[in-house]
């Protein structure tokens, strides 16, 4: 079919638009009439939006679409075409039901062929000059006048580190003694000058609390020279178990070596447990004061408007680009699901959104698991049939996308999320909505790259699925986070849960924890999850700080989940851990190379009323640690059903079964049905080739080989190569 473009321009209430036939869309899909509106960085929103007189902004294009619709509606798909270039985006662009397309006439905001339009919520900073002590300095008048402040800075596309002490970056924590995966970090002030002894919490009323923390003399010496105004800008960042707390310093008491912070509750009941408290078992640093600006690549912003930067070797700040964020939220899809009003049939294709703001509130950031109190740069409520394709969110201070209330039938495909202050994508809410119209469901995330997250909120996750059902998460690459890759469920215990029939399959989940956080997994679940399937995923390199780096983790009340055909290796604490739950099935998985134990259970089930989980037709292959972690009554067949498994210690060393010999174990009736101790005959397990050189052994238990190479993204070589830029497996 020839591409016929009618050259006549039609004038309707002052808006020009072009009709065309599009050979890539069949008449069965859409009306044959296609409407095109053009946008360019060289355009003007007062212009009609033709190719020769394009619009200039996303908001201007949206308003033009509204005008076209009000002039008689759409007779075919409406394409808003963006030329290459950087488009400033200093305010949120909101889409409401008046911006809707239909199934036959969608509104498509897309890049021109071969173009890369980038919407930036940041502002460039220039005028750097040499200063004292090897620093460079620039003046930012808007900061001096109190009109602007920022806590993030990107230098030639790299997220630069705010001045901090100690200088150990998050990415380097795994290099500390005993890491990855060990608690053996120094806790002696003679060894670790930033020793953090304890915190005492005082209830101030009104939801505010004071935390008094005892620190080393070196910390006090750093802070004592600061004026009260300078001290008020210093932040204390603490990572404790599965939470992260950020506080401004209210005062210091040099005589008692204490620092005082105030804000929302910092310690929850679970944080008072022996290994979870906000104390020396966690990790902390101080941030944002000039004496801490001592490492190349760091920066500091003073309230007088002076921006200081210590260049990396070979850098000339006069010739590199500095960008700081202004706008915190880029897009808002604002329907009213409770009122029956939805935003529908809008597509975003080939668009990139960069440089999102986050400013710590005066009271700081109190710990909430998975950073679930943090919003996203793209927020959706009441969204149906919204598509994000070849989309990008990068250099953001918070989450990327959040399908929050009443969203359904939406898709995110072949999109890139990177350098995120929090996580990638959220689906649903932490609590069950009372109005069924506000339930979020049937969201598809396919073939996306979600990497380098938790840069501000280290407890954030790659994909978070709350009280939401029938969602599909497939062929994604999620890596370089400090907490879990995927969290799903969000009801503690056996109470009401909407997290049902979710599919998490063919994903590559890797380089998690990195010695920063605890109690995490490649896939983490909470609550009853009827019909949920976790299959054909590859999960590797999960290393915790204090405890708990697993491949798959069924936390409190997780029930009725099938885990099948997953490959997991290089883990701190096991391929599978069950806290407590009902009738979960671990079947036909490969669990390899965990440090401490290979399979773990902790909270003993209340005996007899239900089966905790079935563990069948799995291969457990290890070279260190125990087979079964305790405490757990592995010998109680009312708790766990083990059968048809292959167990092997590389090198053939003997090992026990929950402190029993194999013969004692079998005599108790455990693993009696078809399980064996045998080398599964992998091609080259030491180099992570878990294919089988022979099926002689696996045929004995019925294990079925699966193609784990299908996990992760698919498509063009360049796209697959982009996902592969994550770090390689860590040698144990």
């Amino acid at each position: 079919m020839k591409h016929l473009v009618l050259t006549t321009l039609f004038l309707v209430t002052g808006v020009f638009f072009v009709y065309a036939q599009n050979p890539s869309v069949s008449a069965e899909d859409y009306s044959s009439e296609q409407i095109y509106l053009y946008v360019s960085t060289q355009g003007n929103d007062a212009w009609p939006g033709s190719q020769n007189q394009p619009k200039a902004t996303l908001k201007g294009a949206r308003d033009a679409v509204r005008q076209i619709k009000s002039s008689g509606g759409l007779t075919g798909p409406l394409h808003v075409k963006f030329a290459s270039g950087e488009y400033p985006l200093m305010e949120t662009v909101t889409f409401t039901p008046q911006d809707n397309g239909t199934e036959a006439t969608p509104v498509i905001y897309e890049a021109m062929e071969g173009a890369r339009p980038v919407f930036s919520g940041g502002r460039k900073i220039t005028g750097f000059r040499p200063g004292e002590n090897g620093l460079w300095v620039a003046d930012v008048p808007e900061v001096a006048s109190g009109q602007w402040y920022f806590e993030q800075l990107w230098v030639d596309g790299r997220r630069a580190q705010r001045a901090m002490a100690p200088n150990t970056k998050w990415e380097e924590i795994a290099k500390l003694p005993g890491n990855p995966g060990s608690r053996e970090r120094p806790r002696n002030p003679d060894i670790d000058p930033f020793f953090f002894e304890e915190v005492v919490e005082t209830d101030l009323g009104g939801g505010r609390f004071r935390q008094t923390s005892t620190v080393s003399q070196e910390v006090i010496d750093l802070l004592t020279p600061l004026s009260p105004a300078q001290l008020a800008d210093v932040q204390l960042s603490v990572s404790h178990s599965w939470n992260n707390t950020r506080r401004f310093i209210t005062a210091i008491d040099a005589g008692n070596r204490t620092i005082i912070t105030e804000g929302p509750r910092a310690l929850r009941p679970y944080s008072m447990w022996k290994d979870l408290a906000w104390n020396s078992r966690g990790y902390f640093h101080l941030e944002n004061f000039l004496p801490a600006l001592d490492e190349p690549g760091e920066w500091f912003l003073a309230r007088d408007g002076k921006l200081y930067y210590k260049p990396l070797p070979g850098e000339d700040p006069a010739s590199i680009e500095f960008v700081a964020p202004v706008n915190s939220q880029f897009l808002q899809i604002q329907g009213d699901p409770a009122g029956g009003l939805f935003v529908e049939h809008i597509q975003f294709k080939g668009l990139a959104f960069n440089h999102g703001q986050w400013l710590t509130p005066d009271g700081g950031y109190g710990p909430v698991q998975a950073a679930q109190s943090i919003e996203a740069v793209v927020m959706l409520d009441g969204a149906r049939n919204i598509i994000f394709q070849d989309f990008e969110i990068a250099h953001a201070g918070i989450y990327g996308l959040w399908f929050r209330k009443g969203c359904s039938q939406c898709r995110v495909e072949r999109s890139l999320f990177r350098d995120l202050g929090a996580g990638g994508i959220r689906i649903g809410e932490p609590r069950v909505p009372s109005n069924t119209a506000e339930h979020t469901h049937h969201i598809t995330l396919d073939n996306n790259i979600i990497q380098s997250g938790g840069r501000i909120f280290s407890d954030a996750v790659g994909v978070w699925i709350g009280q939401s059902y029938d969602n599909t998460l497939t062929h994604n690459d999620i890596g370089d986070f400090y907490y879990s890759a995927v969290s799903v469920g969000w009801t503690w215990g056996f109470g009401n849960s909407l997290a049902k029939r979710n599919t998490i399959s063919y994903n590559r989940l890797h380089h998690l924890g990195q010695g920063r956080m605890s109690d995490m997994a490649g896939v983490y679940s909470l609550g009853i999850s009827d019909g949920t399937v976790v299959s054909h995923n590859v999960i590797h390199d999960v290393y915790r700080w204090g405890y708990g780096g697993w491949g798959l983790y069924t936390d409190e009340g997780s029930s009725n989940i099938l885990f099948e055909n997953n490959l997991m290796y290089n883990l701190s604490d096991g391929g599978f851990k069950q806290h407590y739950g009902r009738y979960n099935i671990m079947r036909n998985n490969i669990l390899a190379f965990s440090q401490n134990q290979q399979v773990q259970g902790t909270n003993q089930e209340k005996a007899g009323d239900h089966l905790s989980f079935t563990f069948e037709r799995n291969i457990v292959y290890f070279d260190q640690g125990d087979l079964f972690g305790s405490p757990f009554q592995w010998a109680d067949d009312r708790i766990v059903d083990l059968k048809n498994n292959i167990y092997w210690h590389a090198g053939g060393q003997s090992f026990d079964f929950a402190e029993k010999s194999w013969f004692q174990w079998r005599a108790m009736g455990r693993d009696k049905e078809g399980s064996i101790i045998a080398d599964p005959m992998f091609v080259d397990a030491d180099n992570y080739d878990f294919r089988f050189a022979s099926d002689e052994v696996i045929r004995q238990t019925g294990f079925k080989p699966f193609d784990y190479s299908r996990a992760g993204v698919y498509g063009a070589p360049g796209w697959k190569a982009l996902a592969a830029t994550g770090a390689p497996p860590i040698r144990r």
Side-chain angles (χ1 to χ4, degrees), residues 605-669:
E605 302 287 344
K606 306 304 179 185
D609 61 343
H610 62 263
L611 185 69
S612 178
F613 64 92
T614 298
F615 191 80
E616 63 177 331
R617 235 172 47 230
N618 300 290
I619 298 175
V620 184
Y621 187 95
F622 62 111
D623 58 2
Q624 60 183 311
D626 297 324
L627 173 59
F628 294 134
S630 59
F632 201 74
Q633 291 185 7
W634 292 101
D636 189 339
D637 59 9
R638 297 172 301 176
I639 301 301
V640 56
D641 184 15
L642 301 106
K643 55 190 175 185
N644 299 107
N645 300 299
I646 300 172
Y647 304 109
W648 187 248
H649 192 293
Q653 291 92 330
S654 62
F655 53 94
D656 63 54
F657 291 75
E659 301 181 349
K660 306 291 183 182
S661 72
W662 176 240
F663 300 102
Q664 292 171 325
W665 186 249
R666 298 272 292 214
M668 295 166 56

Side-chain angles (χ1 to χ4, degrees), residues 429-576:
E429 298 183 83
R431 295 175 178 82
V432 176
S434 58
N435 188 331
T436 58
E438 294 185 335
H439 290 181
T440 288
H441 54 93
H442 289 92
I443 307 298
T444 297
L445 312 181
D446 182 68
N447 197 24
N448 302 292
I449 299 173
I450 305 172
Q451 292 187 357
S452 303
R455 268 36 190 178
I456 297 175
F457 309 98
S458 56
D459 49 358
V461 300
V463 174
W464 183 91
I465 303 174
Q467 300 288 353
S468 182
Y469 50 89
D470 291 309
N471 302 294
T472 301
L473 175 61
T474 51
H475 287 289
N476 301 284
D477 186 289
I478 305 174
D480 191 10
F481 278 81
Y482 305 114
Y483 196 46
S484 298
V486 179
S487 286
V488 58
W490 237 250
T491 293
W492 278 262
F494 299 122
N496 183 32
S497 170
L498 295 183
K500 300 178 180 180
R501 300 179 303 279
N502 291 301
T503 298
I504 303 167
S505 299
Y506 293 100
N507 303 288
R508 179 173 175 255
L509 314 174
H510 59 100
H511 294 93
L512 307 170
Q514 302 182 57
R516 175 77 181 184
M517 303 297 291
S518 298
D519 205 66
M520 77 201 72
V523 179
Y524 169 92
S525 63
L526 273 172
I528 296 174
S529 301
D530 296 350
T532 290
V533 175
V534 180
S535 69
H536 292 91
N537 302 287
V538 173
I539 303 171
H540 64 89
D541 293 285
V542 183
Y543 291 112
R544 42 69 163 174
W545 160 237
Y547 78 101
W550 296 287
L552 303 169
Y553 178 15
T554 49
D555 203 358
E556 302 194 22
S558 296
S559 300
N560 307 319
I561 305 172
L562 171 62
F563 301 93
E564 187 170 39
N565 297 338
N566 299 288
L567 166 63
M568 295 153 284
Y569 60 92
N570 286 7
L571 312 159
S572 290
D573 296 296
F576 177 70

Side-chain angles (χ1 to χ4, degrees), residues 48-116:
S50 63
Q51 279 186 293
N52 294 329
Q53 292 185 300
K55 296 289 184 182
T57 67
L58 176 59
K59 182 176 181 294
R62 181 209 62 184
D63 292 345
V65 171
R66 290 178 176 178
Q67 198 168 2
I68 292 171
K69 290 182 60 182
S70 68
S71 302
L74 301 179
T75 58
L78 196 162
H79 298 262
V80 180
K81 310 285 281 188
F82 290 85
S84 285
E86 186 172 292
Y87 297 80
L89 190 64
M90 297 300 138
E91 61 180 3
T92 305
V93 179
T94 301
F95 293 83
T96 67
Q98 68 177 311
D99 301 301
N100 285 357
T102 68
E103 185 176 2
T105 62
V107 179
I108 305 167
Y109 294 84
E110 61 185 338
M112 292 182 184
E113 185 174 355
R116 187 175 186 272

Side-chain angles (χ1 to χ4, degrees), residues 244-260:
N244 172 237
T245 297
R246 300 185 74 89
R247 288 283 183 272
F248 291 103
I249 295 180
T250 304
I252 62 172
D253 183 340
N256 290 313
R257 290 193 296 109
T258 59
I259 56 178
I260 296 103

Side-chain angles (χ1 to χ4, degrees), residues 398-449:
I398 50 180
Y399 271 93
L401 282 170
W402 187 359
F403 297 94
R404 186 169 55 181
K405 294 180 182 291
C407 298
S408 65
Q409 309 299 334
C410 298
R411 300 181 63 88
V412 183
E413 302 171 331
R414 205 170 54 248
S415 293
L416 174 64
F417 300 80
R418 59 189 175 92
D419 186 23
L420 306 162
I425 301 174
R426 298 184 63 180
I427 300 172
E429 298 183 83
R431 295 175 178 82
V432 176
S434 58
N435 188 331
T436 58
E438 294 185 335
H439 290 181
T440 288
H441 54 93
H442 289 92
I443 307 298
T444 297
L445 312 181
D446 182 68
N447 197 24
N448 302 292
I449 299 173

Side-chain angles (χ1 to χ4, degrees), residues 652-700:
Q653 291 92 330
S654 62
F655 53 94
D656 63 54
F657 291 75
E659 301 181 349
K660 306 291 183 182
S661 72
W662 176 240
F663 300 102
Q664 292 171 325
W665 186 249
R666 298 272 292 214
M668 295 166 56
R670 313 305 288 131
D671 265 308
K672 192 171 183 179
E673 185 181 333
S675 294
I676 59 175
I677 298 176
D679 186 343
M681 303 184 71
F682 292 127
V683 170
D684 188 1
D686 283 343
N687 290 300
Y688 313 112
D689 186 341
F690 295 100
R691 295 173 299 161
F692 296 95
S694 167
D695 67 353
E696 178 182 349
V697 174
I698 61 176
R699 279 191 288 108
Q700 298 179 49

